[in-house]
Amino acid sequence: MPLEQLRAYKPALTKLPDFDAFWSESLEELAQVPLRYERTPFPYPVKGLKVYRMFYEGFNHSRIEAWLALPESSQPLPGIVQYHGYNWAWDNQLLDTVNLALKGYAVLQMICRGQQSESVDNVVSSNGHVAGWMSKGILNPREYYYRAVYMDSVRALEVLRDLPEVDGDRIGVTGGSQGGALTLAAAALSDIPKLALSDYPYLSHFERAIDVAPAGPYGELNEYFRRHSSDPRIEERAKETLSYFDIMNLAPRIACRTWIGIGLIDEITPPSTVFAVYNHLSCEKEIGVYRYFGHEHIPAAIIPRLQLMQDVLGS
Amino acid sequence: MPLEQLRAYKPALTKLPDFDAFWSESLEELAQVPLRYERTPFPYPVKGLKVYRMFYEGFNHSRIEAWLALPESSQPLPGIVQYHGYNWAWDNQLLDTVNLALKGYAVLQMICRGQQSESVDNVVSSNGHVAGWMSKGILNPREYYYRAVYMDSVRALEVLRDLPEVDGDRIGVTGGSQGGALTLAAAALSDIPKLALSDYPYLSHFERAIDVAPAGPYGELNEYFRRHSSDPRIEERAKETLSYFDIMNLAPRIACRTWIGIGLIDEITPPSTVFAVYNHLSCEKEIGVYRYFGHEHIPAAIIPRLQLMQDVLGS
Amino acid sequence: MPLEQLRAYKPALTKLPDFDAFWSESLEELAQVPLRYERTPFPYPVKGLKVYRMFYEGFNHSRIEAWLALPESSQPLPGIVQYHGYNWAWDNQLLDTVNLALKGYAVLQMICRGQQSESVDNVVSSNGHVAGWMSKGILNPREYYYRAVYMDSVRALEVLRDLPEVDGDRIGVTGGSQGGALTLAAAALSDIPKLALSDYPYLSHFERAIDVAPAGPYGELNEYFRRHSSDPRIEERAKETLSYFDIMNLAPRIACRTWIGIGLIDEITPPSTVFAVYNHLSCEKEIGVYRYFGHEHIPAAIIPRLQLMQDVLGS
Amino acid sequence: MPLEQLRAYKPALTKLPDFDAFWSESLEELAQVPLRYERTPFPYPVKGLKVYRMFYEGFNHSRIEAWLALPESSQPLPGIVQYHGYNWAWDNQLLDTVNLALKGYAVLQMICRGQQSESVDNVVSSNGHVAGWMSKGILNPREYYYRAVYMDSVRALEVLRDLPEVDGDRIGVTGGSQGGALTLAAAALSDIPKLALSDYPYLSHFERAIDVAPAGPYGELNEYFRRHSSDPRIEERAKETLSYFDIMNLAPRIACRTWIGIGLIDEITPPSTVFAVYNHLSCEKEIGVYRYFGHEHIPAAIIPRLQLMQDVLGS
Amino acid sequence: MPLEQLRAYKPALTKLPDFDAFWSESLEELAQVPLRYERTPFPYPVKGLKVYRMFYEGFNHSRIEAWLALPESSQPLPGIVQYHGYNWAWDNQLLDTVNLALKGYAVLQMICRGQQSESVDNVVSSNGHVAGWMSKGILNPREYYYRAVYMDSVRALEVLRDLPEVDGDRIGVTGGSQGGALTLAAAALSDIPKLALSDYPYLSHFERAIDVAPAGPYGELNEYFRRHSSDPRIEERAKETLSYFDIMNLAPRIACRTWIGIGLIDEITPPSTVFAVYNHLSCEKEIGVYRYFGHEHIPAAIIPRLQLMQDVLGS
Amino acid sequence: MPLEQLRAYKPALTKLPDFDAFWSESLEELAQVPLRYERTPFPYPVKGLKVYRMFYEGFNHSRIEAWLALPESSQPLPGIVQYHGYNWAWDNQLLDTVNLALKGYAVLQMICRGQQSESVDNVVSSNGHVAGWMSKGILNPREYYYRAVYMDSVRALEVLRDLPEVDGDRIGVTGGSQGGALTLAAAALSDIPKLALSDYPYLSHFERAIDVAPAGPYGELNEYFRRHSSDPRIEERAKETLSYFDIMNLAPRIACRTWIGIGLIDEITPPSTVFAVYNHLSCEKEIGVYRYFGHEHIPAAIIPRLQLMQDVLGS
């Protein structure tokens, strides 16, 4: 799709009538979970910085791992929650957290449940799924994997805001790919963030993604449908479930300032699926378009993002 | 490794002192689960055959899906439990079950928990894992994914034996790859099977598999270790866990007649890992070696397997 | 091509004026070959089933190998001729034959001449060809490889009908890919079949196949044309030859009930080439469309095919 | 295999007792075919050169296509027969022939029967084979494809010698890959050549080639054996057939001056298979070893080959 | 793009107002370099041919390597300058030169500066570049790599014309890919050539090439732009530089007879970029279109090219 | 090579007698170039940090681009020079520089001449080369590309030491791949560095690298040799040139504390080539070995490197 078409591409939303009710209930269920967390100092050989390994109580009372880095400061700090990419967590997942904290922010990185490390994925699904997490619980929105993850993402914001070192009125969210989706989901489902910086967000415009990106992680959905070809109702039910989690459907709920970045040769989160989100945003927004980049680190996006952090959150 | 070396390749077992105790406890835990199952006729357009969709209560009281096919017979039937390959279940997973049943056997195919379809994977792991199931719960043998699956495999045998149409003294187990591993695990952990037919078994000789087969599903382990490189104790603990589930360590427990097939250009379950199992078997045994085959359907293995079924189980 | 377009896609036929005359002559030439065959019992370790290795006299008096499997029955059996895929024969090519026979059919599988095994390819071509069979004899319809194969396919039906165990009024044909093409060719050129079940048929709508599927076996044609680029008349002559064998051109001759299956991501026999055949069928017909499948085993197609066999042929 | 090992690598010959008798009979059978050929001028826009399209009567009375190029000369010309690579013929296969002729030689290029173009492959095999020619007739040395091709190669020499423009005492043979094998076969089976220039010869040391080069054209043999895995006698018979055609076994018969070229990263005709031939040569011989080349055009080999032609054949 | 569209495809030229002035200045700068060359006999084992290694003074007084081959002749010879492909020079780059000379031409092959061998690339660029030569000096037309190469190409013609053995009124230019571009550039910038034979010319219609051929050598430009994404003026400046060198923009300057060859599946120099040049030619012209060929040797193009040489240049 | 062998792998050095003289002369030549640099503030949206774009006069008076980042500090800062990977520079190459500076170091990143960006590669080579820089000037050590780059690397240290904000006694060097090689080269050729941190260094043990890593950038050498196969003296001369630049030969000159990191599945800079360097170091040294990593970011290496910086340089 050429850029001009992308700029105008705004497919119809696919949300069902109870879309908002579903999320209200989910947030209420989250609210039942007490705000609890613990942090342990983690020795890190850099002066002027405190690093903590953290666990907080997430959705369904799960134990969620996070990393926290705080620059020394006599003032309350602006804060940022980071979300990592799909299947992209490592032990000592500290590098980005530390590097961003050193720029003057209290940074908390949530580790997605089940994806390596120690966050516990405690929602048992009534169905099997394709290897990976994309189809886990897909036959029931209440069991779908990302319901818990979206709620964990909101809770991460609540934890960060609760820290004594943090100025709760200056909090942002950021991440790329799955992290970019969680960034937007958190901005849609929580009023804490004042800024959302989302690199090539995933989990968006599923209907099209299945057609144009079967070779990437969206392809887990293709594989799921493929393995349930005998009964067309399975695919229908799964697509209904996905509609609740489609970032495109959540986009209109976002109120804070939002920046999205996308490379025009991205084959993992194709530009059309990203513009579909962007064009449904009604908040103050910008999009960074990178002609020669795919789903990868984009150097030219660094300064604009840092500038926005500084402008909106201070530092 | 040339064939002559393979025939002599017998690496030291890696089992820990409480290996047998671990399995005794696990079997006792399974024994606490009542033998419960239900079957629903599934319309299948073939005369002389009854097909059922089945659910039984598996390890940890999980709901396990299975398929059952019974040829019409006035006599008690010999029975066979089938186990499918890793990440290789489909809806209406009937084809092999039906085709084997038509050869005169009561055939029950277990669907591995969590792997598509409807078997419920209800063991919550305290840790995250790599996409797939190979590292789920890997830091604790009691939480490891395959503990439940091995026990479900034993229970499948108990279910089949319990059926009124089946002659419980003439039951075999079969499968390829993951299914080949479950075949051998079931034969090692249950005294029901009189015959085990295992095509290129997986889950064997992990220490070597990690070195020689990182491009296949064993590579999930490499990926797990890779993502936990900061702390060498993680890899140690994971390998301890794996030792309980290594088919090579279970091999000496197998008492029934056993046949194993392996292709010499198999890169998924390399021949050395398979001979490591075979050479540790002390039961009556044979191995089918196929010079020009990899991890795939091997036509020349069909008749020998059918012949063994007929010879050992009757039909 | 989106599905809606496929359903309406009906390119003009490419047959030349003497198309029907060509096939009449070919059938007459076949009729000159006496109906001769022999069968030898082949030991197969399954009760209630007789398996035979068979040779029959095919087109040009060639010796054609086949496999025959007959379930025990006191009644005349419905019969099915199976045709295998291109370059896809093996020794002891029995599995599918046996498995179908056990469902209540007398099944005969023809081995295509020259393609491994023992069927003799005795038509000498005046020209060389690309490795493979697609361009063998392509400069002359009377020498083209598939002329003999189509006639062998018809003869296979005559042999099956001639067997004392078979009810000649209840015979079907089936196969996938090349086998799917032979299925339709046999149904077009013989009045024996009452049912044709064709998975993703090959050898259809060559003009388009050359453009859209050069990476698969159709690409032998591209390679042939490529190697004869100096003289455009060669490509013209070759395409004229192909027109006689294009299943699309044979489609209107089919009178029996016909089912075709196709996956929408099939890159070997692209959906457009298959719908081109289907949309030219004037018989009673159905098409199974599988959104997430390529040129491969399609589990969801099994039951519909078995159901049709039972409905049309009985069992 | 490091170069020092290659230089000493001399595996045992595999020829059977009737090896020489087999070739004597074959040559006698060839001698029954009358020496017949025709040539038609082929317009070629280069002065001082005559080009002809040629057909000669080959083994089994087949019609073999060839190209002939003759530089204008008042003297009898030295002559060279060229053989092309496996599956590597094109229409107007003139380029190499013309370019060599312009260097002062009467050049005749034989087109291998069946491999594109118009040479007729008229030996009917009693068995099927893998796509390609490597296993055609492989169960019987008298039916094997290369028996006819080797004999056609000898006949090409007889034709060239018979031309009035040619000095029959100054004839050489050359080619690469399959052409390199035919070069050596012709030098072994005919006393006409005074010089053999063979680039990376194919068809040599089959036993090892099957093990180390299954991804190239030798892999047709692997595929053949793979498809006949049920009965080990098939592979034995096929290997017996191959022993008659193994260039390594023919090498000791070569009497003329011989040059062989081989690249050390050749994966199609691995260096070990080529040194196996070279080390069995007892004639005057040289080998060009190219460290950084595979199965491809090797610029550094051009001048040495031309120099040898000039030295041995004159020009 | 289908062939009919290609035949009509004539995108707007992109040249800037000082385009012709730029080239006049460049040619004047070249004219300041004295016509100097030396040749050393190179022993080559072919009678009737003289081969020389040559060095001439190129643009910016660089030392440019060339090969010269002259057939023995008592008459002045028609001459041809050959240009090789991008990154495609070898030591003893003689084969094509010798083979063409033997057809009756004085042939000089220029080795592109810097691309292996011994031509000295002596223009120092003020900027870095992507590995390769495509972006060397790209921010300034006076520094751009191809400015010197185009001028060296013109000088090669002047050298050839200056040779006593050559008839300066019968000189042609030829080459493929980069060599095809230099062929056309030389024909546009020098009035020496009477014939230009260009196989699949490179360096044409850059704007489109970047979009459709990023996987080939044009992709060096994509990579350059990609690495300079922060400042859009860089890409603008680079594209301005490229406009001076775009063969499409030079096409209207060509006055001599011109033949271009292109394969329709060429992915290196896509047909649309080649037709863009062709359709802007106003000289006497022909195009050879090869349906089944990519960026490779095209046998069917040989005779037409030789015929044109003979017709236009004599031989 | 298994790890135990690697730990003992110490091939003979390949340096020629004038090795040290060569470098003394080169350093003297560098000393002739005045220490000159300029810096321009570069706006960067992070508080407490100053960023500059810098140019300094490098070897042969070239203009070398660099980036400089300085944390605010009232004390002289420890300093670090960073070198980037081969062919791995980007515009605004700031990310690593900024992130390291924020940890308390004055960081200067040198951009390698010619490799994108604006460092001028002003050594004209008398020979052509393979695309890339590995063979530029390879026939003469004084012209070889890396001579200038090694000297630029030393000069970068001199520039950093000269800055008023920097404590010249606490300077380190770091980089990965090519940057790891420059790190070690700078530590061998300058006494400024007190610490060298080198990730998987490139440019080491060329003789072996050519054999085991032809698919990576070392393969430019293979390609160069390949294209100069006619004259073996070319390869000899090139290897002599390389011996001056082989990090293995420079290793014994390093006196400062040195850490090297290497992944055991690194196919770009194979572990054996890295251990060859390490085992020739006579300074205080450590090696980080990562079993499951290739030539890529290694999370587990971050903290050890930062710890060493803090321990040796302070921060």
Side-chain angles (χ1 to χ4, degrees), chain A residues 42-47 90-92 94-95 98-99 102-103 105 293 296-297 299 302-303 306-307 310 314-315, chain F residues 42-47 90-92 94-95 98-99 102-103 105 293 297 299 302-303 306-307 310 314-315:
Chain A
F42 183 89
Y44 202 81
V46 167
K47 284 189 188 151
W90 297 71
D91 63 338
N92 293 1
L94 274 166
L95 188 66
V98 158
N99 285 337
L102 288 167
K103 283 156 194 142
Y105 303 91
F293 284 84
E296 59 187 318
H297 174 64
I302 298 169
I303 291 179
L306 288 174
Q307 191 67 56
Q310 205 176 59
S315 70
Chain F
F42 183 88
Y44 201 81
V46 167
K47 283 189 188 149
W90 297 71
D91 62 338
N92 293 359
L94 275 166
L95 188 67
V98 158
N99 285 336
L102 288 168
K103 283 157 194 143
Y105 303 91
F293 284 84
H297 174 64
I302 298 168
I303 290 178
L306 288 175
Q307 190 67 55
Q310 206 175 60
S315 68

Side-chain angles (χ1 to χ4, degrees), chain A:
Chain A
M1 221 185 265
L3 185 53
E4 310 74 52
Q5 257 178 275
L6 288 171
R7 295 212 185 268
Y9 183 65
K10 197 173 175 180
L13 297 182
T14 57
K15 62 184 171 189
L16 297 173
D18 69 340
F19 179 83
D20 288 311
F22 173 80
W23 286 115
S24 298
E25 280 169 51
S26 298
L27 288 163
E28 275 161 39
E29 193 175 328
L30 175 68
Q32 305 302 317
V33 176
L35 183 67
R36 271 201 289 241
Y37 55 88
E38 49 177 337
R39 48 172 158 167
T40 320
F42 183 89
Y44 202 81
V46 167
K47 284 189 188 151
L49 185 76
K50 285 183 200 144
V51 177
Y52 301 91
R53 194 163 188 215
M54 197 168 198
F55 288 93
Y56 68 83
E57 193 164 337
F59 191 67
N60 199 29
H61 303 280
S62 182
R63 186 175 187 244
I64 300 299
E65 183 184 2
W67 291 92
L68 177 67
L70 302 173
E72 280 176 9
S73 169
S74 54
Q75 304 290 323
L77 290 161
I80 292 174
V81 175
Q82 285 178 327
Y83 306 105
H84 61 76
Y86 182 64
N87 198 8
W88 206 244
W90 297 71
D91 63 338
N92 293 1
Q93 177 93 353
L94 274 166
L95 188 66
D96 291 344
T97 306
V98 158
N99 285 337
L100 187 52
L102 288 167
K103 283 156 194 142
Y105 303 91
V107 186
L108 182 152
Q109 181 174 192
M110 174 185 94
I111 305 300
C112 289
R113 51 173 63 204
Q115 296 187 17
Q116 288 89 34
S117 300
E118 303 203 22
S119 296
V120 177
D121 180 16
N122 69 351
V123 179
V124 170
S125 161
S126 312
N127 288 84
H129 57 94
V130 171
W133 294 269
M134 288 301 293
S135 60
K136 182 162 176 275
I138 201 169
L139 296 184
N140 182 341
R142 306 187 67 83
E143 286 187 358
Y144 188 52
Y145 172 72
Y146 279 108
R147 181 170 179 246
V149 177
Y150 284 13
M151 289 301 97
D152 293 341
S153 301
V154 168
R155 175 52 50 98
L157 281 161
E158 294 162 354
V159 168
L160 183 65
R161 184 179 57 182
D162 194 58
L163 297 180
E165 297 91 339
V166 173
D167 176 353
D169 292 332
R170 292 189 292 147
I171 286 180
V173 277
T174 193
S177 199
Q178 176 187 262
L182 298 183
T183 291
L184 297 175
L189 296 170
S190 165
D191 57 5
I192 295 176
K194 298 298 178 294
L195 175 66
L197 302 174
S198 170
D199 290 299
Y200 30 79
Y202 186 45
L203 304 177
S204 171
H205 196 8
F206 289 108
E207 295 275 351
R208 181 171 170 87
I210 289 161
D211 280 345
V212 299
Y218 279 121
E220 290 183 25
L221 299 175
N222 295 253
E223 186 66 23
Y224 185 84
F225 298 150
R226 176 177 149 81
R227 299 213 181 178
H228 294 85
S229 291
S230 298
D231 180 354
R233 288 168 304 177
I234 299 284
E235 183 168 339
E236 280 165 35
R237 280 174 61 192
K239 285 184 170 170
E240 279 181 24
T241 294
L242 290 171
S243 75
Y244 292 91
F245 301 91
D246 194 320
I247 297 298
M248 183 176 78
N249 289 335
L250 283 163
R253 292 177 64 128
I254 299 176
C256 70
R257 180 121 174 225
T258 297
W259 177 94
I260 292 177
I262 183 64
L264 291 188
I265 55 172
D266 194 324
E267 297 182 344
I268 304 298
T269 56
S272 56
T273 64
V274 170
F275 273 93
V277 174
Y278 183 75
N279 292 332
H280 275 293
L281 288 176
S282 51
C283 56
E284 190 177 0
K285 66 183 180 181
E286 286 134 290
I287 190 159
V289 176
Y290 304 97
R291 163 68 180 86
Y292 299 103
F293 284 84
H295 204 75
E296 59 187 318
H297 174 64
I298 302 177
I302 298 169
I303 291 179
R305 280 187 310 211
L306 288 174
Q307 191 67 56
L308 269 168
M309 287 186 203
Q310 205 176 59
D311 292 350
V312 177
L313 306 179
S315 70

Side-chain angles (χ1 to χ4, degrees), chain C residues 41-111:
Chain C
F42 184 89
Y44 202 80
V46 166
K47 284 189 189 153
L49 185 77
K50 285 186 202 143
V51 177
Y52 301 91
R53 194 161 189 216
M54 197 168 198
F55 288 93
Y56 67 85
E57 193 164 338
F59 191 67
N60 200 30
H61 303 281
S62 183
R63 186 176 187 242
I64 301 299
E65 183 184 0
W67 290 93
L68 176 67
L70 303 173
E72 280 175 9
S73 169
S74 53
Q75 305 289 324
L77 290 161
I80 293 174
V81 174
Q82 286 179 325
Y83 305 105
H84 61 76
Y86 182 63
N87 198 8
W88 207 244
W90 297 72
D91 63 336
N92 292 359
Q93 179 94 351
L94 273 166
L95 188 66
D96 291 344
T97 307
V98 158
N99 285 337
L100 187 51
L102 287 167
K103 285 159 192 137
Y105 304 91
V107 185
L108 182 152
Q109 181 174 193
M110 174 185 93
I111 305 300

